[in-house]
Amino acid sequence: MPKELKPISKVAAQVQASTTIVIDSMFKEMKAAGEDVVGFGAGEPDFPTPEHIKQAGISAIEGNKTKYTPAAGMMELRKAACYRLEQDFGLKYEPQSVVVASGAKHAIYIALMVLCDPGDEVVIAAPYWLSYSEMVKQASAVPVIIAADEERQFKITAEQLERAITDKTKVFMLNSPSNPTGMVYSRDELEAIAEVCVRHNIYVIADDIYANLVYDGIEYTSIAALNEEIKRRCIVINGVSKSYAMTGWRIGYACAEPFIAKAMSNYLSHSTSAPSTISQIAAIEALNGPQEDIEEMRKAFQARRDHLVERMNKIEGISCIKPQGAFYVMMNMKKFIGKTMYGEVINSDSDFARLFLEKGKVATVPCESFAAPGFVRWSYATSMSDINKGLDRLEQFIKNA
Ligand code: PMP
Ligand code: GLU
């Protein structure tokens, strides 16, 4: 008998696979196998990366810009991030406050690694992007979930945050516009949240990755732009994946007080080092170059949202509220819980989403892992014709059940 191997670390044993990535992989495999499946799974723009950005990447390769860069990223990219944040959101940072990472996900991960000691608490507002809780666990910290329901537009209040704070609280994770709800916190709501964070001296990881994707002319406010005291406590996360249709290039960044940025850069220098030089050069072009393409994409997302929400709310038993940003809709499917569909009792949103993929050939993400049971997330970063196809199939799926 071969000797049993020692187990993986206790921290690693607690970490779950990412449902969004698992579903996206399943969808891509089914499609590759020739199945006629429609995907609303991963939040990934269907648009190609704009031409001028692709050309910057090609020129980087041809010009032999293929060597290592500093761990915190190229100075030109850090300056470009500062320029864009100031232009778009009135956020003022110096390049020494900016750290480039391999995607916004990685920037959040490194921020948590640098901020948290074992046992520290990180407050997360639910529904939340499922990677937050797993990243907190990877940092040996403890996720503390506070929930906001659909009646409250999926937004938590400053009072709720205050009640969740203990002497172990180190960080509050804020994501506006939110994945998965698409909700955007107003300036007043942020003022109240910021006041609590400053008074209790806790950090805020402000995940602003969808900040350029807000609709109906509403004004976007980054919490870090409110005042100097909250800004000192913020680690602002942004990147090029969503707004510039650059998910596969893997460039995100964090802005923080220089001592935090330095610690993050030290971590990076012993793990991934900087991301691909070619991607960094393309990201410089994205941030400094013409912004018309991103405005075109934003308008297309808004039109898709309007159509999806309108049609979805006409389907019997299903409903959704209208999100103000990002590219997700939370479909409320609670009326189907306990019902039998295709000979199976639906006990959860996961059962519904699995059957919808198997029988309806539509990939969506059940929201149990976003701490929002009873909802299924649709990403509308896909074509209008696929949106119609998906909704036709939803109608059929329910009718034939
Ligand atoms: N934050 C949120 C809320 C997201 O939805 C995503 C999507 N992946 C990310 C961060 C990470 O983005 P990136 O692809 O740049 O890692
Ligand atoms: N953030 C996107 C999503 O929620 C991409 C997949 C992921 O990284 O989780 O679908």
Side-chain angles (χ1 to χ4, degrees):
M1 266 294 262
K3 209 169 178 178
E4 199 180 328
L5 298 180
K6 288 187 179 176
I8 57 169
S9 75
K10 291 191 183 72
V11 169
Q14 287 182 64
V15 177
Q16 314 280 323
S18 160
T19 317
T20 46
I21 303 283
V22 170
I23 288 179
D24 190 49
S25 310
M26 263 165 72
F27 161 70
K28 284 175 179 156
E29 262 171 41
M30 285 168 83
K31 219 172 157 101
E35 285 204 50
D36 174 24
V37 55
V38 197
F40 298 89
E44 171 162 69
D46 56 323
F47 299 108
T49 302
E51 202 50 43
H52 64 104
I53 302 175
K54 289 199 289 201
Q55 284 309 322
I58 292 166
S59 305
I61 298 175
E62 287 176 350
N64 294 318
K65 303 267 173 52
T66 53
K67 308 288 187 198
Y68 290 137
T69 74
M74 296 167 76
M75 184 46 83
E76 220 183 324
L77 177 52
R78 294 156 77 193
K79 284 186 181 157
C82 295
Y83 168 71
R84 187 53 40 220
L85 291 177
E86 183 162 5
Q87 288 289 311
D88 290 359
F89 317 117
L91 275 173
K92 285 201 178 80
Y93 283 102
E94 295 299 323
Q96 73 265 27
S97 284
V98 183
V99 180
V100 179
S102 301
K105 187 184 277 184
H106 190 217
I108 300 168
Y109 175 80
I110 298 292
L112 285 165
M113 294 299 282
V114 159
L115 292 176
C116 296
D117 278 315
D120 280 350
E121 292 175 359
V122 177
V123 179
I124 305 175
Y128 62 88
W129 179 41
L130 45 80
S131 289
Y132 292 159
S133 53
E134 303 312 299
M135 290 197 270
V136 168
K137 289 190 241 162
Q138 288 176 73
S140 298
V142 182
V144 174
I145 311 297
I146 49 177
D149 51 28
E150 197 182 24
E151 289 69 46
R152 282 210 314 255
Q153 306 280 301
F154 297 118
K155 291 195 267 186
I156 60 113
T157 61
E159 292 73 38
Q160 263 181 297
L161 172 61
E162 176 120 43
R163 281 198 297 276
I165 292 174
T166 71
D167 54 6
K168 293 208 181 103
T169 308
K170 194 74 174 280
V171 182
F172 171 54
M173 300 274 326
L174 177 71
N175 178 215
S176 171
S178 150
N179 175 7
T181 70
M183 287 305 154
V184 182
Y185 282 83
S186 70
R187 194 180 183 91
D188 285 352
E189 289 162 341
L190 291 175
E191 295 271 10
I193 288 172
E195 190 278 321
V196 172
C197 295
V198 171
R199 187 155 37 83
H200 289 275
N201 199 17
I202 59 174
Y203 287 106
V204 179
I205 296 185
D207 183 353
D208 290 359
I209 189 79
Y210 296 103
N212 288 106
L213 297 173
V214 295
Y215 312 120
D216 306 326
I218 64 163
E219 206 194 313
Y220 174 77
T221 307
S222 171
I223 191 167
L226 291 178
N227 60 62
E228 209 36 51
E229 277 308 297
I230 189 66
K231 184 175 172 226
R232 285 176 61 219
R233 292 171 175 82
C234 280
I235 294 82
V236 172
I237 306 290
N238 216 314
V240 294
S241 301
K242 312 291 176 173
S243 356
Y244 296 90
M246 292 178 71
T247 46
W249 296 78
R250 310 308 304 133
I251 299 288
Y253 48 89
C255 305
E257 285 291 290
F259 77 97
I260 296 174
K262 180 78 181 77
M264 289 178 69
S265 161
N266 292 347
Y267 256 67
L268 289 166
S269 75
H270 292 295
S271 50
T272 51
S273 292
S276 146
T277 306
I278 299 145
S279 294
Q280 290 192 63
I281 290 170
I284 295 169
E285 173 60 22
L287 299 171
N288 283 343
Q291 303 294 301
E292 285 78 22
D293 292 316
I294 82 158
E295 179 54 14
E296 284 308 306
M297 292 191 265
R298 194 194 63 78
K299 283 192 191 141
F301 290 138
Q302 178 168 316
R304 293 165 181 189
R305 175 206 62 167
D306 290 345
H307 184 67
L308 176 64
V309 168
E310 200 192 320
R311 260 199 79 181
M312 194 174 268
N313 277 318
K314 288 188 183 140
I315 300 175
E316 190 64 32
I318 290 290
S319 66
C320 64
I321 59 172
K322 195 174 196 173
Q324 300 161 305
F327 35 56
Y328 307 104
V329 162
M330 295 280 275
M331 178 177 87
N332 184 329
M333 50 67 62
K334 290 180 184 169
K335 289 198 178 140
F336 289 90
I337 293 186
K339 298 243 161 79
T340 301
M341 297 179 90
Y342 301 91
E344 255 190 61
V345 179
I346 302 293
N347 287 315
S348 64
D349 46 86
S350 299
D351 288 345
F352 187 95
R354 181 179 39 78
L355 263 188
F356 192 27
L357 181 56
E358 277 170 28
K359 309 281 181 202
K361 302 285 178 227
V362 176
T364 52
V365 185
C367 291
E368 265 177 338
S369 19
F370 296 95
F375 292 88
V376 169
R377 190 193 78 175
W378 292 55
S379 159
Y380 54 87
T382 188
S383 70
M384 203 62 116
S385 70
D386 273 359
I387 290 173
N388 278 323
K389 210 170 178 185
L391 290 163
D392 291 345
R393 288 184 185 190
L394 177 64
E395 283 170 351
Q396 287 306 313
F397 172 72
I398 293 172
K399 213 163 107 200
N400 299 338

